[in-house]
Amino acid sequence: MHYVNWSPLFSVKNPHIDQQHRRLFDLVNEFHSAYKSKENKDYIFSVLNRLIKYTEEHFEDEERLMRASGCPKDLLEHHLKEHEKLIFDIFELNNELHAGKQKSINELERFFDKWLIQHVLEEDKRYLDYVNK
Ligand SMILES: [Fe+2]
Ligand SMILES: [Fe+2]
Protein backbone atom coordinates (compact mmCIF):
# COMPACT_ATOMS: atom_id res chain seq x y z
CA MET A 1 0.00 0.00 0.00
CA HIS A 2 1.36 3.38 -1.00
CA TYR A 3 1.41 6.15 1.54
CA VAL A 4 0.07 8.68 -0.94
CA ASN A 5 -1.21 8.38 -4.50
CA TRP A 6 -1.08 11.18 -6.99
CA SER A 7 -4.55 12.10 -8.21
CA PRO A 8 -5.99 14.89 -10.40
CA LEU A 9 -6.71 16.69 -7.14
CA PHE A 10 -3.00 17.54 -7.06
CA SER A 11 -2.85 18.84 -10.61
CA VAL A 12 -1.49 22.34 -11.22
CA LYS A 13 -2.80 22.01 -14.81
CA ASN A 14 0.70 22.01 -16.22
CA PRO A 15 1.73 18.59 -17.62
CA HIS A 16 5.45 19.21 -17.15
CA ILE A 17 5.11 20.15 -13.47
CA ASP A 18 2.47 17.50 -12.81
CA GLN A 19 4.91 14.93 -14.17
CA GLN A 20 7.60 16.17 -11.79
CA HIS A 21 5.18 16.12 -8.86
CA ARG A 22 4.26 12.52 -9.70
CA ARG A 23 7.94 11.62 -9.62
CA LEU A 24 8.24 13.32 -6.21
CA PHE A 25 5.25 11.35 -4.92
CA ASP A 26 6.90 8.13 -6.21
CA LEU A 27 10.15 8.94 -4.42
CA VAL A 28 8.36 9.83 -1.18
CA ASN A 29 6.45 6.53 -1.39
CA GLU A 30 9.66 4.64 -2.08
CA PHE A 31 11.33 6.22 0.93
CA HIS A 32 8.27 5.69 3.13
CA SER A 33 8.01 2.00 2.30
CA ALA A 34 11.78 1.42 2.63
CA TYR A 35 11.73 3.03 6.07
CA LYS A 36 8.56 1.22 7.11
CA SER A 37 9.83 -2.21 6.10
CA LYS A 38 13.18 -1.50 7.78
CA GLU A 39 15.27 -2.00 4.66
CA ASN A 40 19.01 -1.67 5.14
CA LYS A 41 20.27 1.79 6.02
CA ASP A 42 22.33 2.28 2.85
CA TYR A 43 19.27 1.69 0.73
CA ILE A 44 17.07 4.00 2.85
CA PHE A 45 19.63 6.80 2.59
CA SER A 46 20.14 6.27 -1.13
CA VAL A 47 16.40 6.75 -1.69
CA LEU A 48 16.41 9.84 0.53
CA ASN A 49 19.36 11.21 -1.46
CA ARG A 50 17.54 10.70 -4.72
CA LEU A 51 14.50 12.43 -3.26
CA ILE A 52 16.58 15.42 -2.14
CA LYS A 53 18.36 15.72 -5.52
CA TYR A 54 15.14 15.48 -7.45
CA THR A 55 13.47 18.03 -5.18
CA GLU A 56 16.29 20.50 -5.88
CA GLU A 57 15.88 19.97 -9.62
CA HIS A 58 12.13 20.33 -9.43
CA PHE A 59 12.32 23.54 -7.41
CA GLU A 60 14.78 25.05 -9.89
CA ASP A 61 12.50 24.17 -12.76
CA GLU A 62 9.41 25.47 -11.03
CA GLU A 63 11.12 28.73 -10.10
CA ARG A 64 12.38 29.17 -13.68
CA LEU A 65 8.86 28.65 -14.97
CA MET A 66 7.43 31.12 -12.47
CA ARG A 67 10.02 33.75 -13.45
CA ALA A 68 9.37 33.22 -17.16
CA SER A 69 5.62 33.50 -16.70
CA GLY A 70 5.74 36.95 -15.14
CA CYS A 71 4.46 35.91 -11.74
CA PRO A 72 4.07 38.84 -9.35
CA LYS A 73 7.25 39.49 -7.41
CA ASP A 74 5.73 38.92 -3.97
CA LEU A 75 4.29 35.58 -5.01
CA LEU A 76 7.63 34.50 -6.46
CA GLU A 77 9.54 35.64 -3.40
CA HIS A 78 7.13 33.92 -1.05
CA HIS A 79 7.46 30.74 -3.08
CA LEU A 80 11.27 30.88 -3.08
CA LYS A 81 11.21 31.17 0.70
CA GLU A 82 8.88 28.20 0.99
CA HIS A 83 11.20 26.11 -1.20
CA GLU A 84 14.16 27.16 0.86
CA LYS A 85 12.39 26.05 4.01
CA LEU A 86 11.40 22.71 2.49
CA ILE A 87 15.02 22.05 1.48
CA PHE A 88 16.13 22.95 4.99
CA ASP A 89 13.52 20.60 6.49
CA ILE A 90 14.46 17.61 4.33
CA PHE A 91 18.16 18.11 5.11
CA GLU A 92 17.26 18.26 8.78
CA LEU A 93 15.35 14.98 8.49
CA ASN A 94 18.34 13.48 6.69
CA ASN A 95 20.71 14.68 9.44
CA GLU A 96 18.49 13.40 12.23
CA LEU A 97 18.26 9.96 10.63
CA HIS A 98 22.01 9.91 10.06
CA ALA A 99 22.50 10.78 13.73
CA GLY A 100 20.48 7.67 14.60
CA LYS A 101 17.28 9.41 15.65
CA GLN A 102 14.31 7.13 15.09
CA LYS A 103 11.14 8.42 13.48
CA SER A 104 7.83 6.68 13.79
CA ILE A 105 5.85 6.11 10.60
CA ASN A 106 3.26 8.56 11.92
CA GLU A 107 5.91 11.23 12.37
CA LEU A 108 7.22 10.62 8.86
CA GLU A 109 3.74 10.82 7.40
CA ARG A 110 3.04 14.05 9.24
CA PHE A 111 6.32 15.39 7.90
CA PHE A 112 5.52 14.53 4.28
CA ASP A 113 1.88 15.65 4.57
CA LYS A 114 3.24 19.07 5.29
CA TRP A 115 6.40 18.88 3.22
CA LEU A 116 4.89 17.60 -0.04
CA ILE A 117 1.11 17.47 -0.03
CA GLN A 118 0.36 20.77 1.61
CA HIS A 119 2.94 22.56 -0.52
CA VAL A 120 1.50 21.23 -3.79
CA LEU A 121 -2.10 21.82 -2.77
CA GLU A 122 -1.67 25.26 -1.27
CA GLU A 123 1.48 26.91 -2.54
CA ASP A 124 2.03 25.42 -5.99
CA LYS A 125 -1.58 25.99 -6.92
CA ARG A 126 -1.11 29.72 -6.44
CA TYR A 127 1.04 30.08 -9.58
CA LEU A 128 -1.39 28.10 -11.70
CA ASP A 129 -3.06 31.09 -13.37
CA TYR A 130 0.24 32.75 -14.30
CA VAL A 131 2.11 29.70 -15.50
CA ASN A 132 -0.77 28.39 -17.59
CA LYS A 133 -1.77 31.62 -19.32
FE1 LIG B 1 6.69 24.83 -5.22
FE1 LIG C 1 6.15 21.87 -6.91
Side-chain angles (χ1 to χ4, degrees), residues 10-60:
F10 296 106
S11 177
V12 295
K13 315 278 188 258
N14 180 295
H16 178 67
I17 297 292
D18 281 346
Q19 191 53 44
Q20 293 190 349
H21 284 158
R22 280 171 182 259
R23 175 88 186 114
L24 277 178
F25 276 58
D26 286 347
L27 286 164
V28 165
N29 281 324
E30 203 178 331
F31 174 71
H32 179 269
S33 79
Y35 195 84
K36 196 173 176 180
S37 51
K38 301 186 177 10
E39 298 272 359
N40 81 63
K41 281 202 163 82
D42 287 349
Y43 176 67
I44 292 174
F45 284 115
S46 80
V47 179
L48 189 54
N49 267 334
R50 275 193 281 136
L51 171 62
I52 292 173
K53 281 219 170 75
Y54 193 72
T55 301
E56 289 174 328
E57 280 174 41
H58 167 63
F59 285 175
E60 273 177 31

Side-chain angles (χ1 to χ4, degrees), residues 108-124:
L108 269 191
E109 291 182 357
R110 272 201 306 275
F111 176 87
F112 285 115
D113 283 351
K114 204 163 162 251
W115 188 83
L116 178 67
I117 299 171
Q118 203 177 311
H119 180 77
V120 172
L121 288 179
E122 290 175 18
E123 300 297 337
D124 283 349

Side-chain angles (χ1 to χ4, degrees), residues 6 22 26 42-43 50 57 67 78 84 95 102 107:
W6 194 90
R22 280 171 182 259
D26 286 347
D42 287 349
Y43 176 67
R50 275 193 281 136
E57 280 174 41
R67 281 195 181 91
H78 171 77
E84 219 174 279
N95 290 343
Q102 297 291 319
E107 272 178 293

